Amino acid sequence: MIVIKTREEIELMRESALIVSKTLGELAKEIKPGVTTLELDKIAETCIRDHGAIPGFLGLYDFPNTLCMSPNTQVVHGIPNNTPLVEGDIISIDCGALKNGFYGDHAYTFAVGEIDPETEKLLKITKESLYVGIREFKINNRVGDVGYAIQKYCEDHGYGVVRELVGHGLGKKMHEDPEMPNYGKRGRGKKFVEGMVVAIEPMINQGTHRIKQHSDGWTITTLDNKPSAHFEHDVAIVDGKPELLSTFAYIYDALGIESNEEDEFRQKALVL
């Protein structure tokens, strides 16, 4: 069942989403060769709690940490550990926060130092596909419209679109209806209505779309051991159109990046 949110609830969700955004911004300052994912995990937990929230992933389905941290060939759900990052790595960081009874859930794939051009292109196209999908999240469109748009954009660039893992509705639960696949057919699936909130999250592989799960029950990697990228935003339908609740602005501020990619999805300016 899809749970529709009021304007007031959407604003509470925006607060949770922005706590995650701020946490990712703090992590962006620390990601460099030599740092471990477990060190980053501790920074994230402190940041979330300092903002009066609870880490959304810690203990969820018995997950052991605050962050899902998935380097290189890992797609999602990687468990933080003591292995240092090295120059040329990429690392997907997926983070959640719970405040005022509502979840934020938001992800970004970071480059560690300089990365090779092919991997840089994978990150670029995957992030662009996120906004391609968000444009289709509007009143009277359907789940398949978002999935089709993401799939076509990524496959046109020769990439594999993961099938087994999907985006989702978001609210008082981390995972609500509807499921939001990154593939599909136009005009299929549940219809979007005012007040829906979802997490849209392309998971895109440089090679095959096929994946494998590891014995820890969490870690997912590409079947051909080629890199994978993952970006995620929380989005609500407000006045019939997609409205971003999360932002990459804190990341860009930390990294010195200028971008207007989010402007079309905001009805009011984001104040940092």
Side-chain angles (χ1 to χ4, degrees), residues 82-98:
N82 284 311
T83 303
L85 297 175
V86 300
E87 184 85 12
D89 280 346
I90 59 172
I91 179 84
S92 161
I93 301 183
D94 196 354
C95 180
L98 175 64

Side-chain angles (χ1 to χ4, degrees), residues 196-218:
M196 284 182 66
V197 180
V198 300
I200 298 175
E201 50 178 323
M203 290 157 275
I204 308 301
N205 300 341
Q206 193 177 76
T208 179
H209 68 82
R210 297 178 66 194
I211 59 174
K212 57 185 175 184
Q213 185 171 34
H214 290 238
S215 59
D216 62 14
W218 287 104

Side-chain angles (χ1 to χ4, degrees), residues 8-106:
E8 292 76 15
E9 289 173 329
I10 288 171
E11 289 309 308
L12 291 176
M13 293 194 69
R14 190 191 307 274
E15 183 178 355
S16 297
L18 289 177
I19 289 171
V20 178
S21 300
K22 291 175 182 178
T23 301
L24 291 174
E26 289 302 308
L27 294 173
K29 302 173 185 176
E30 306 296 332
I31 294 171
K32 54 184 177 291
V35 72
T36 70
T37 51
L38 199 54
E39 289 170 336
L40 296 172
D41 188 75
K42 292 175 181 176
I43 292 169
E45 181 174 358
T46 298
C47 186
I48 291 167
R49 294 191 188 279
D50 284 350
H51 282 90
I54 298 169
F57 295 168
L58 184 61
L60 184 70
Y61 313 126
D62 295 324
F63 188 75
N65 291 89
T66 293
L67 301 174
C68 293
M69 305 195 72
S70 309
N72 301 320
T73 65
Q74 293 186 21
V75 182
V76 287
H77 301 164
I79 298 173
N81 57 47
N82 284 311
T83 303
L85 297 175
V86 300
E87 184 85 12
D89 280 346
I90 59 172
I91 179 84
S92 161
I93 301 183
D94 196 354
C95 180
L98 175 64
K99 187 173 183 180
N100 299 318
F102 289 95
Y103 281 96
D105 175 22
H106 178 29

Side-chain angles (χ1 to χ4, degrees), residues 57-179:
F57 295 168
L58 184 61
L60 184 70
Y61 313 126
D62 295 324
F63 188 75
N65 291 89
T66 293
L67 301 174
C68 293
M69 305 195 72
S70 309
N72 301 320
T73 65
Q74 293 186 21
V75 182
V76 287
H77 301 164
I79 298 173
N81 57 47
N82 284 311
T83 303
L85 297 175
V86 300
E87 184 85 12
D89 280 346
I90 59 172
I91 179 84
S92 161
I93 301 183
D94 196 354
C95 180
L98 175 64
K99 187 173 183 180
N100 299 318
F102 289 95
Y103 281 96
D105 175 22
H106 178 29
Y108 192 91
T109 301
F110 295 88
V112 182
E114 296 293 325
I115 60 175
D116 69 79
E118 285 192 4
T119 305
E120 188 171 7
K121 182 182 176 185
L122 171 67
L123 268 57
K124 177 179 181 290
I125 297 303
T126 303
K127 182 154 67 71
E128 288 174 356
S129 78
L130 171 59
Y131 296 109
V132 168
I134 289 171
R135 287 188 191 101
E136 299 298 320
F137 183 59
K138 55 190 176 183
I139 198 164
N140 293 326
N141 268 14
R142 295 179 179 269
V143 166
D145 296 314
V146 172
Y148 172 84
I150 293 171
Q151 180 182 14
K152 185 176 189 309
Y153 192 79
C154 293
E155 289 183 349
D156 282 353
H157 286 88
Y159 297 135
V161 179
V162 174
R163 304 297 201 270
E164 295 88 345
L165 303 159
V166 299
H168 51 90
L170 189 68
K172 290 185 176 180
K173 296 181 180 179
M174 176 66 75
H175 298 109
E176 297 185 353
D177 286 338
E179 289 190 345

